[in-house]
Amino acid sequence: MTTVNTNFLKLTANYLFVDIARKVKEFKEQNPDTKVISLGIGDVTSPLVPSVLNALHSAVDEMGEAEHFRGYGPEQGYDFLRRAIADYDYARRGLSINADDIFISDGAKSDLGNFQELFSADARVAVTDPVYPVYVDSNAMAGRNGEMKDGQWDRLLYLPVTKENGFVPELPKTRPDLIYLCYPNNPTGTVLSKDALKMWVDYALRENCVILYDSAYEAYIVDKDVPHSIYEIDGAEKVAVEFRSFSKTAGFTGLRCAYTVVPSALAVRDGKGGSVQLKSLWNRRQCTKYNGCPYIVQRAAEAVYSPEGRAEIEKVIVKYHENASRLSKAMEAMGLEVFGGVNAPYIWVHVPQGMQSWEFFNHLLHKAALVCTPGVGFGKSGEGYVRLTAFGSPSDTDEAIRRMKAL
Ligand SMILES: *Cc1c(COP(=O)(O)O)cnc(C)c1O
């Protein structure tokens, strides 16, 4: 009989969202007349903005005209979009990223999950705790994480981020090959200052590590001193890959478009005494396994960079920011410690003394018909916290706040 990749069998099912759904369903059955409001939504709710829709419509029409029809596009993405990204997201901020180093894709989740393929099977991996699960599970599938013991992988380096260390991961005692960092952070909504990010880039330069930097929430940054890109740190182009997405920036979670920057200057050991450009390997990997993001979607993404497009998406983000700010204030008024929620659509709430994540989840559900996400679901160090998201409608957010005040 054929044997499967047994690494898949070591993965524990992610019960978090299943457990939440079950508890919410039970509550609704017992309280059929109560409207349950979810503050756990990890997806945008505002529709696509007009500029994006218009670009999408015209691109669809082009596809029906013989002289404009497009078949397979470049695996790396169309030049018009790669140049718009290089100009707007980088050159405008004084960063010189070559359009040629930008790879367009159908999502940051797939790029983040796929990128580990480029590294040796015994590479050591470091992740923050709590963490976005994709980094951990994709390396587990490749057999890099060892065995699961007491809810943690024994070969994975966990970097706790808690209120005790101000949500800044400390440098590890043993050297990892790969370091996943996500800022602004999901789930905590916290950010790294330029100095903190520099500490990590300098460490990677000194120890020859690769940083896989997920900045899916870059568009939510409002504080002036928070870096938008890891390439704002000197030398980062030699050690870091940056992942970005139009999902949270412009409501593309259903449309699907993202990009990954793999700088030409980033090289790793080839196992034979020499070195090899990561970019050439990623290009090889994409050309083999991927046929590119749809033309119509790339035209829609290009429209995000038009002056009208920028103004329209800015309004949507401001609306989410306002939700976050009102939610944070309401939680603080309940006497709770609140983190994040300023440069990110996520609020990380420290639950009342002596309570655990799930107890507070039950409390909010049964006393106020509100749904949050228990922090422990994102990792051990998330115990004692819950995540709230600002992606709900303003009216639902207001109603949620009224209920919290009544608690
Ligand atoms: C939403 C999200 C992404 C974006 O994923 P897409 O596949 O581009 O939709 C990436 N990283 C994190 C941490 C996210 O929360």
Side-chain angles (χ1 to χ4, degrees), residues 39-296:
L39 299 170
I41 313 167
D43 193 355
V44 296
T45 54
S46 276
L48 295 170
V49 298
S51 301
V52 167
L53 269 190
N54 289 340
L56 198 53
H57 280 299
S58 351
V60 168
D61 288 341
E62 280 183 61
M63 292 297 266
E65 299 158 358
E67 65 273 30
H68 293 126
F69 168 77
R70 312 248 187 161
Y72 289 125
E75 290 92 344
Q76 304 81 359
Y78 284 100
D79 277 341
F80 62 79
L81 182 55
R82 300 171 92 190
R83 278 202 303 268
I85 292 166
D87 286 349
Y88 193 90
D89 287 338
Y90 295 103
R92 189 177 59 103
R93 296 190 183 280
L95 305 173
S96 74
I97 294 291
N98 200 326
D100 207 48
D101 294 351
I102 298 168
F103 293 81
I104 312 295
S105 74
D106 62 1
K109 182 174 175 175
S110 29
D111 284 359
L112 283 156
N114 292 331
F115 211 86
Q116 48 75 28
E117 284 179 27
L118 306 191
F119 303 99
S120 69
D122 62 354
R124 289 298 297 254
V125 178
V127 295
T128 60
D129 172 25
V131 70
Y132 181 60
V134 178
Y135 321 144
V136 174
D137 288 359
S138 57
N139 279 289
M141 289 169 181
R144 287 194 192 91
N145 295 359
E147 303 300 323
M148 182 61 99
K149 287 187 186 121
D150 301 327
Q152 293 201 319
W153 295 97
D154 63 2
R155 235 186 138 257
L156 198 59
L157 287 163
Y158 291 91
L159 312 164
V161 280
T162 58
K163 66 174 189 152
E164 282 73 26
N165 62 18
F167 298 93
V168 178
E170 285 152 39
L171 297 175
K173 303 212 165 41
T174 46
R175 176 196 164 275
D177 295 290
L178 304 175
I179 301 158
Y180 287 86
L181 295 177
C182 172
Y183 289 98
N185 188 259
N186 180 8
T188 66
T190 58
V191 290
L192 284 189
S193 67
K194 216 165 221 179
D195 284 346
L197 187 56
K198 181 173 159 42
M199 172 185 86
W200 277 97
V201 170
D202 289 348
Y203 175 82
L205 284 163
R206 201 162 63 236
E207 299 286 340
N208 291 307
C209 316
V210 172
I211 297 177
L212 302 170
Y213 194 72
D214 181 351
S215 62
Y217 296 94
E218 175 272 335
Y220 290 80
I221 295 173
V222 289
D223 288 342
K224 293 263 179 306
D225 53 342
V226 173
H228 285 253
S229 165
I230 194 167
Y231 304 119
E232 289 177 39
I233 311 298
D234 284 342
E237 71 285 354
K238 297 195 189 81
V239 290
V241 178
E242 182 159 283
F243 300 83
R244 289 212 191 163
S245 172
F246 294 92
S247 283
K248 316 303 173 7
T249 304
F252 276 50
T253 49
L255 205 52
R256 314 300 305 140
C257 192
Y259 63 90
T260 293
V261 181
V262 195
S264 303
L266 175 47
V268 294
R269 282 211 296 265
D270 68 1
K272 294 181 287 191
S275 69
V276 59
Q277 248 188 351
L278 263 191
K279 178 187 164 183
S280 66
L281 263 59
W282 183 243
N283 188 48
R284 187 71 173 83
R285 190 263 171 219
Q286 291 297 80
C287 292
T288 301
K289 299 193 181 181
Y290 185 57
N291 258 337
C293 176
Y295 170 70
I296 58 172

Side-chain angles (χ1 to χ4, degrees), residues 316-367:
V316 176
I317 291 176
V318 164
K319 190 188 75 182
Y320 293 142
H321 273 312
E322 284 168 359
N323 284 347
S325 148
R326 290 204 310 278
L327 276 172
S328 293
K329 286 203 190 94
M331 282 282 160
E332 278 167 351
M334 285 172 70
L336 299 173
E337 255 184 301
V338 169
F339 305 93
V342 177
N343 297 290
Y346 299 119
I347 299 161
W348 196 240
V349 180
H350 193 238
V351 308
Q353 207 65 45
M355 260 197 187
Q356 295 204 308
S357 298
W358 274 111
E359 286 176 85
F360 191 65
F361 169 91
N362 286 328
H363 178 70
L364 276 188
L365 179 61
H366 290 276
K367 297 276 157 41

